[in-house]
Amino acid sequence: MALLATAFTAGCSSPGSSTASGAEEVKVALITSTSGPLASYGEQYLRGFEAGLDHATDGTGAVDGVEITVLKDDDGGDPAKGVSLAKKRIGQGVPIIAGSAVSGVATQIAPVAAQNKTLYISGPAATDALTGVNRYTFRSGRQTYQDVLTAKNILGGSKGKKVVVLAQDNAFGQANAAAVKSVLGTGGTTVGEVLAPPAATDLTPVASKVKAARPDMVFVAWAGDTAQSMWSTLDQQGVLDAATVVTGLDSRASYPVFGKAREKVTLLAHYVPGAADTPEAEAMRTYFKAKKWEEDLFTPDGFNAAQMVVEAVRAGGAKGDTDAMVKALEGLSFSGVKGPNTVRAADHALLQPTFQAQFTGEGAPRVARTFPADQVAPAETRIG
């Protein structure tokens, strides 16, 4: 947490100002959650960014003689606060904003960035709405569409098969159900849904309804304190033995939630700690070892963001030329922690590999399959 409490000196000068050492600098505002319900995601992102910046600048914190000064702000998961912080930094002449683990925050910052011609590189926020939203907004992480395409690859040949989405009857659950229907509900696949009341504690009727549907796959999108009870109930009712049950892998802290059901669940994963051995992954682990940190689900997003920031500053120079930054990032291909990344020029989606994982025994999950970027590429959209 010391990292989260530490911030570089903030100033009100414009891009290209001089530091105390006389070098020119470009400021980058990292706006993400270091408090609130997704604070752990924000911490993972910030740690990844720090390691990525160190790697991409060879430990100098500068590119082509321009120092990159990082300003950290806590949005607390509140869209209004995130927008306020973005406007504050833009008013101070900051040409690059990165971050937010919260989709609701990111979708509110994106139009502000566009209105002010400020480069915005979103963080772990997974909403598909950020892809193609405007020419100034890019992604450093994955999006929901890529998660669902991973599930489609796990399902394999889908003709004649039946998928049931198990989720809570709230915005999160409904969005996942809609995404699964959009992606999997083609080619002869039938997609249904079982939506549980968010406050429900007795989940036996819900599990019974899922089993009665006789699905080939159950896609679980669940959040909150009832997760452990939900997995236990699915196991008790025989759902985990009757179908392939797929859910997204969350952070390390969530691993105990699966309980005795852990080895029966198939995990679609944005990232699995230890999944890759790219030069970037090795650099991140070396940096983390020195800091006594552990890599986690969203550390690659922060690392990616830092790499993209360095490329943007290289193109935009000390003046912070945003148009030059945008052009440099569009179509950019680079090696990241997970493997090859490409910023799709048409809509700024970040094409990247994803994983299928499985728990084995009491340890951490292990990668079962890696899906290359082109297998999980979201449908192309138009900017704006």
Side-chain angles (χ1 to χ4, degrees):
M1 294 304 293
L3 165 66
L4 306 182
T6 302
F8 291 90
T9 303
C12 298
S13 52
S14 62
S17 61
S18 295
T19 65
S21 63
E24 291 191 302
E25 67 172 351
V26 168
K27 294 184 174 70
V28 180
L30 299 188
I31 301 175
T32 194
S33 297
T34 57
S35 66
L38 298 186
S40 66
Y41 294 172
E43 179 182 5
Q44 294 166 32
Y45 170 82
L46 288 174
R47 288 179 172 181
F49 190 96
E50 185 176 324
L53 186 62
D54 180 80
H55 174 70
T57 63
D58 295 322
T60 67
V63 56
D64 294 341
V66 180
E67 291 188 14
I68 298 173
T69 301
V70 178
L71 312 171
K72 299 170 189 173
D73 291 305
D74 175 21
D75 61 35
D78 179 359
K81 186 176 181 182
V83 168
S84 177
L85 289 167
K87 289 180 176 179
K88 171 186 172 183
R89 293 307 188 187
I90 291 169
Q92 294 173 343
V94 175
I96 304 172
I97 295 173
S100 199
V102 181
S103 292
V105 175
T107 53
Q108 294 300 307
I109 290 178
V112 174
Q115 290 161 12
N116 292 276
K117 296 185 177 181
T118 300
L119 179 64
Y120 178 44
I121 302 172
S122 68
T127 177
D128 293 316
L130 286 171
T131 297
V133 65
N134 60 60
R135 72 181 297 263
Y136 295 95
T137 297
F138 293 79
R139 316 188 72 108
S140 64
R142 97 320 185 178
Q143 60 189 88
T144 299
Y145 206 113
Q146 288 162 312
D147 288 344
V148 180
L149 282 171
T150 302
K152 185 175 183 177
N153 278 285
I154 292 171
L155 181 62
S158 59
K159 188 174 182 180
K161 292 189 177 179
K162 187 173 186 179
V163 176
V164 170
V165 181
L166 172 60
Q168 292 145 307
D169 195 4
N170 54 24
F172 172 74
Q174 293 161 10
N176 272 272
V180 174
K181 287 178 182 178
S182 173
V183 176
L184 296 184
T186 58
T189 304
T190 302
V191 179
E193 62 185 46
V194 175
L195 299 181
T201 54
D202 180 7
L203 299 172
T204 301
V206 174
S208 297
K209 191 173 181 180
V210 172
K211 187 176 181 181
R214 300 175 66 85
D216 296 289
M217 173 186 280
V218 181
F219 185 99
V220 180
W222 202 275
D225 296 339
T226 56
Q228 191 158 4
S229 174
M230 180 271 297
W231 288 115
S232 176
T233 304
L234 288 183
D235 196 16
Q236 291 168 3
Q237 295 300 311
V239 175
L240 302 183
D241 295 315
T244 299
V245 179
V246 177
T247 194
L249 178 67
D250 203 344
S251 302
R252 287 176 180 269
S254 74
Y255 295 172
V257 165
F258 293 95
K260 295 180 180 179
R262 57 192 284 125
E263 294 184 41
K264 298 181 181 181
V265 178
T266 299
L267 304 164
L268 60 91
H270 165 49
Y271 181 62
V272 183
D277 57 1
T278 65
E280 291 72 25
E282 294 302 323
M284 181 183 72
R285 290 181 192 123
T286 298
Y287 192 90
F288 274 35
K289 184 177 181 180
K291 294 280 188 175
K292 298 183 179 179
W293 295 341
E294 286 186 315
E295 59 183 309
D296 214 324
L297 185 65
F298 294 119
T299 43
D301 296 10
F303 202 102
N304 287 345
Q307 291 177 281
M308 293 169 72
V309 164
V310 169
E311 288 302 316
V313 173
R314 193 191 310 277
K319 292 182 179 179
D321 184 337
T322 309
D323 287 332
M325 293 179 179
V326 168
K327 290 178 182 177
L329 292 183
E330 287 183 332
L332 174 69
S333 291
F334 61 100
S335 175
V337 170
K338 295 166 55 175
N341 293 322
T342 299
V343 179
R344 192 163 60 193
D347 58 6
H348 301 176
L350 185 62
L351 309 184
Q352 59 193 287
T354 60
F355 307 94
Q356 176 183 337
Q358 198 82 33
F359 282 108
T360 55
E362 295 299 315
R366 294 289 181 265
V367 173
R369 294 166 69 189
T370 299
F371 301 105
D374 59 350
Q375 277 189 248
V376 291
E380 193 173 296
T381 61
R382 275 184 144 187
I383 290 181

